[in-house]
Amino acid sequence: MNRDNDPNRWSYDTVDRPEGVRMFSPAWFKYHWAVQSSRKRLGRLLYIACGLILLAGWLTVTMLFGRNLETNEASNSRFSAHVENGLLPPPPDRIGTLFLVGQLNSFDPFSRNLNLDWTAIQVSQPIDTSDILKTQIDIDRREDTVPLAMFRDVLAVPDLETNITDYQPYRVQNPHVKPVGFLGLTQFDQINTNIGMGQRSTNFWSQPEFGYPFDVFQGKITWVAANNDTITATGRPGTDVQAISGAILTDSLLNMKVRYQVNPTCLYDDAAGCDLVIQLWVTRTGLVKFCVFVVFGINWFVTIALFSLTGESLLLNRHNILESTDIFAFALPSVRSLLPGVPGYGCALDLLGILPNMIIITLCTVFFAISRLRLRYRHRAAAAAAAKDQ
């Protein structure tokens, strides 16, 4: 049939154009809506506009998450009162120029190890609290370069075996502990560490891996820096502990957000030791949580749609749906594997969004297939009976 002669098609001629209609009035919009619908232009414009809106929305969300990652990385380079146990900020006149810089390398959520490379830097006063690295002093221009023997996960206690009275000297509590490395000798000195991360709380949603993507990993590392020249000259291991004013983190990890808290005990008069305690937390980024929410919502949307379709066709005997619809089990496990950093099976996501979906969809598919076979058998039996009557 000619498209122009189709009686079911709206056309410009079949639309009554109102007379004397003011532009942009409700009647004007109603008339032009009918005209565009009759020419099938409006539907095309609508789905193109919807596609562009979805694309722009997705790009906007991606850019926002990227901006959030930049903000998190910049916040890790600031000097702030990130001390633990509710301590007050250290007095400005006691803040020294020695800082540790930890470069984030990797985090393995399965082995729960956070890998960092640590270096020591000196900064000039006054300190730029927004970015410590802006006031960093190059090692070639330092006037009082001190080679540091770095001790990990030990405490520094007052050294009572010296004759120093001008200030309180400190020494490593267990002098038999060997240093894990040396910093401050050259600009290439660094110490690689693996920090074991455990659970922060027993809360259902924050347990590591099980609470994906809301799980929280927590770990701690303690640093003590001692003057290696004094150790060599006196023969007393772990003596002449140096004050470390703080630490910052650089770089970022894919799909992971690292936060930290520092307690520089050397900066407080009433402190019982002189060490640097760094508490670290690793969480999933907002992009990971967004992807999980999208997959979780789509999985349940598909499951509810297929469950409703099966109920309408089987329980309410709507044979038109049964005859004209094919149902196949969706590959939900493969969709799960596309999620960033997803743990092994058994996490909360599987219990709430994957396993029940697979069970419901599988049962619906089986019931639907059996009903289709029974309906086909009835049709063949009816056809055979009709042929016999003839």
Side-chain angles (χ1 to χ4, degrees):
M1 178 183 294
N2 189 353
R3 179 175 178 270
D4 295 332
N5 297 329
D6 186 358
N8 296 323
R9 174 181 173 271
W10 279 81
S11 67
Y12 182 81
D13 298 332
T14 60
V15 179
D16 296 331
R17 183 171 185 174
E19 298 292 339
V21 176
R22 183 168 54 86
M23 186 175 295
F24 302 121
S25 64
W28 184 87
F29 277 110
K30 183 178 180 180
Y31 165 72
H32 281 280
W33 178 279
V35 171
Q36 297 301 326
S37 299
S38 67
R39 295 179 178 178
K40 298 185 180 180
R41 294 178 181 174
L42 186 61
R44 186 177 294 111
L45 291 176
L46 286 177
Y47 78 74
I48 292 176
C50 290
L52 293 177
I53 292 174
L54 290 175
L55 179 60
W58 184 263
L59 292 177
T60 302
V61 170
T62 304
M63 295 302 294
L64 288 176
F65 284 126
R67 181 61 180 172
N68 182 256
L69 290 177
E70 294 179 3
T71 303
N72 294 334
E73 185 175 352
S75 65
N76 285 340
S77 297
R78 298 191 185 104
F79 176 77
S80 59
H82 40 243
V83 293
E84 62 180 5
N85 300 327
L87 295 176
L88 296 175
D93 57 340
R94 292 192 61 109
I95 299 177
T97 60
L98 178 62
F99 286 83
L100 293 183
V101 179
Q103 178 179 332
L104 301 171
N105 293 331
S106 63
F107 175 69
D108 187 355
F110 301 102
S111 61
R112 303 185 183 182
N113 279 325
L114 178 64
N115 185 268
L116 300 94
D117 285 329
W118 297 93
T119 58
I121 64 171
Q122 284 188 349
V123 297
S124 59
Q125 299 283 5
I127 296 174
D128 189 339
T129 58
S130 63
D131 189 352
I132 295 295
L133 297 177
K134 289 183 179 179
T135 55
Q136 179 181 354
I137 303 175
D138 188 78
I139 193 170
D140 297 331
R141 297 188 292 109
R142 299 178 188 173
E143 298 179 356
D144 53 348
T145 302
V146 176
L148 301 174
M150 302 300 299
F151 298 85
R152 175 183 174 180
D153 296 333
V154 296
L155 299 178
V157 297
D159 191 353
L160 305 179
E161 300 179 4
T162 64
N163 298 323
I164 300 176
T165 58
D166 297 338
Y167 62 93
Q168 176 61 63
Y170 290 88
R171 186 184 183 186
V172 174
Q173 186 178 34
N174 185 358
H176 300 290
V177 175
K178 300 294 183 182
V180 295
F182 300 89
L183 297 177
L185 300 177
T186 70
Q187 61 267 38
F188 306 108
D189 293 340
Q190 65 180 14
I191 299 175
N192 182 266
T193 59
N194 281 315
I195 303 176
M197 309 293 287
Q199 67 178 21
R200 185 178 185 181
S201 69
T202 57
N203 182 272
F204 176 85
W205 294 108
S206 62
Q207 291 184 14
E209 295 191 271
F210 183 79
Y212 174 88
F214 305 103
D215 45 350
V216 181
F217 301 83
Q218 176 178 273
K220 179 189 291 186
I221 186 171
T222 303
W223 286 110
V224 174
N227 190 331
N228 192 57
D229 288 344
T230 304
I231 295 175
T232 304
T234 60
R236 302 178 67 239
T239 190
D240 194 9
V241 171
Q242 305 293 303
I244 307 177
S245 297
I248 61 174
L249 299 181
T250 62
D251 216 327
S252 60
L253 300 178
L254 180 64
N255 300 324
M256 292 293 179
K257 175 183 176 181
V258 181
R259 297 179 294 119
Y260 71 106
Q261 195 175 63
V262 176
N263 183 12
T265 60
C266 298
L267 306 186
Y268 300 95
D269 295 328
D270 56 348
C274 186
D275 41 54
L276 182 70
V277 182
I278 305 175
Q279 189 84 35
L280 300 112
W281 296 277
V282 179
T283 58
R284 314 282 178 172
T285 61
L287 181 60
V288 175
K289 297 175 183 177
F290 174 75
C291 293
V292 172
F293 273 119
V294 170
V295 171
F296 184 84
I298 291 178
N299 282 353
W300 272 110
F301 175 78
V302 172
T303 301
I304 294 173
L306 295 182
F307 182 80
S308 302
L309 192 64
T310 304
E312 288 286 330
S313 59
L314 301 185
L315 300 180
L316 300 182
N317 295 322
R318 302 186 62 175
H319 298 294
N320 56 333
I321 298 178
L322 194 61
E323 293 176 352
S324 58
T325 306
D326 290 321
I327 292 184
F328 300 96
F330 285 75
L332 296 182
S334 62
V335 175
R336 179 191 185 278
S337 64
L338 297 177
L339 293 174
V342 62
Y345 279 97
C347 63
L349 175 65
D350 298 323
L351 301 179
L352 299 176
I354 300 296
L355 296 180
N357 295 151
M358 285 299 303
I359 293 173
I360 294 174
I361 290 179
T362 302
L363 292 177
C364 289
T365 304
V366 171
F367 292 152
F368 208 93
I370 294 174
S371 300
R372 286 288 299 270
L373 293 175
R374 292 182 59 188
L375 184 63
R376 187 176 301 176
Y377 173 78
R378 291 177 183 177
H379 287 172
R380 290 181 179 177
K388 184 182 296 184
D389 293 339
Q390 293 179 358

